[in-house]
């Protein structure tokens, strides 16, 4: 006679209601929950994310996910945490540059590359930072901010100058990401650039420059544009011989 041990018994609650803490890839953990959540959002966008759907992806009941994220907001913060954890691992695996400005460029380039690998998570870098106080942000986010401040300290900037550069640096990198990932294509099936961008929907008399520039604006600036803007920012804000 089959038993619960060999999978034949239903148990008092039945197999369909029994939480399953294991899945095909191993024991459930916070890291696993966030990793699968990130994979889901990468594949289908933020609208696909829910406790029920994530539980299905993990092959557990939705209630099991609440052990690792107490609600949807915590899950969204977890996605930001997962992105910054990946960024931190990438930076730690590489070789740190000798000069503080060169290292700051390495950090910004890695941020760009990780963000473009997870474009659906990038909006959360703005919305969750607006909603979550500094001290309650995920530790990997705080460690990344600490990393940048340490570099500015290494560059000899005093407290006021470091704060100004820190704000400008974050504003530039995040703003650049938002511009790179902004929605531009109106009809992906179209091969003609004008119809692909939907320029026929824009009034020609009111928006002549925008219509003319749209095909160029639709192109990404890449890491070169990111680096050029960062150099311009640092040249403007950092004195040639900063004093502590």
């Amino acid at each position: 006679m089959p038993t619960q041990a060999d999978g034949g018994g239903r148990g008092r609650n039945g197999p369909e209601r029994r939480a399953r803490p294991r899945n095909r890839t191993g024991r459930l953990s916070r890291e696993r929950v966030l990793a699968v959540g990130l994979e889901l959002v990468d594949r289908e966008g933020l609208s696909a994310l829910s406790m029920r759907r994530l539980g299905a992806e993990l092959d557990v009941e939705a209630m099991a996910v609440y052990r690792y994220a107490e609600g949807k907001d915590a899950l969204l913060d977890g996605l930001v945490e997962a992105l910054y954890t990946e960024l931190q691992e990438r930076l730690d695996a590489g070789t740190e540059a000798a000069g503080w400005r060169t290292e700051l460029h390495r950090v910004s380039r890695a941020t760009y590359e990780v963000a473009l690998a997870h474009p659906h998570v990038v909006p959360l870098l703005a919305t969750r930072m607006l909603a979550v106080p500094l001290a309650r942000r995920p530790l990997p986010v705080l460690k990344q901010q600490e990393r940048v401040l340490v570099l500015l300290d290494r560059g000899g900037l005093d407290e006021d100058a470091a704060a100004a550069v820190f704000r400008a640096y974050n504003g530039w990198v995040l703003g650049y990401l938002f511009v790179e990932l902004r929605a531009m294509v109106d009809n992906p099936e179209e091969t003609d650039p004008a119809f692909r961008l939907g320029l026929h929907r824009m009034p020609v008399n009111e928006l002549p420059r925008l219509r003319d520039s749209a095909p160029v604006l639709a192109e990404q600036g890449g890491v070169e544009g990111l680096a050029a803007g960062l150099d311009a920012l640092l040249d403007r804000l950092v004195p040639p011989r900063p004093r502590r």
Side-chain angles (χ1 to χ4, degrees):
M1 178 182 296
T3 66
Q4 282 193 347
D6 61 24
R10 296 180 58 86
R12 187 163 55 185
N13 294 325
E16 71 281 0
R17 297 181 59 188
R18 186 171 62 247
R20 292 159 290 181
R22 290 181 177 271
N23 54 63
R24 290 186 298 273
T25 57
R27 182 179 296 278
L28 199 63
S29 66
R30 176 172 173 78
E31 291 74 18
R32 176 63 184 156
V33 168
L34 297 184
V36 172
L38 188 60
E39 291 170 3
L40 173 61
V41 171
D42 285 345
R43 190 170 67 246
E44 300 183 31
L46 283 170
S47 61
L49 185 67
S50 68
M51 294 301 201
R52 183 181 297 276
R53 179 64 189 281
L54 185 52
E57 292 285 319
L58 290 161
D59 197 27
V60 299
E61 293 181 358
M63 288 303 298
V65 180
Y66 282 90
R67 295 180 56 191
Y68 306 96
E70 60 186 17
K72 183 67 176 288
D73 284 346
L75 202 53
L76 296 177
D77 290 339
L79 293 181
V80 175
E81 176 183 340
L83 189 148
Y84 274 90
T85 297
E86 182 175 327
L87 172 59
Q88 185 174 312
E89 291 172 350
R90 177 181 293 225
L91 289 170
D92 291 344
T95 302
E96 185 173 346
W100 70 272
R101 279 185 62 148
T102 306
E103 178 63 11
L104 197 59
H105 272 284
R106 188 175 80 94
V107 172
S108 67
R109 184 171 60 253
T111 303
Y112 177 90
E113 292 168 350
V114 170
L116 262 66
H118 307 288
H120 295 302
V121 181
V122 171
L124 297 178
L125 304 186
T127 58
R128 296 313 300 162
M129 296 305 102
L130 290 172
V132 181
L134 175 67
R136 297 186 183 181
R137 293 172 190 170
L139 184 58
V141 176
L142 299 179
K143 284 186 174 181
Q144 180 62 15
Q145 295 175 335
E146 176 76 7
R147 184 191 294 265
V148 172
L149 288 170
V150 167
L151 288 175
L152 299 180
D153 184 67
R154 186 188 304 173
L157 277 69
D158 62 29
E159 191 174 65
D160 291 339
V165 174
F166 179 79
R167 294 188 187 99
Y169 169 82
N170 284 298
W172 168 247
V173 173
L174 291 177
Y176 192 83
L177 288 173
F178 297 150
V179 171
E180 289 284 87
L181 294 172
R182 70 202 184 286
M184 292 289 288
V185 174
D186 180 61
N187 187 350
E189 304 301 321
E190 281 285 354
T191 56
D192 181 275
F195 285 102
R196 182 177 175 82
L197 293 173
L199 300 188
H200 58 287
R201 304 181 189 280
M202 303 168 65
V204 62
N205 294 328
E206 297 180 46
L207 305 170
R209 288 297 297 125
L210 185 57
R211 281 172 55 103
D212 289 344
S213 302
V216 178
L217 295 175
E219 300 294 328
Q220 291 185 336
V223 293
E224 296 82 4
L226 176 68
L230 180 55
D231 274 332
L233 182 153
L234 294 175
D235 289 344
R236 174 66 180 84
L237 294 179
V238 180
R241 287 187 174 182
R243 295 181 180 179
R244 292 189 60 81

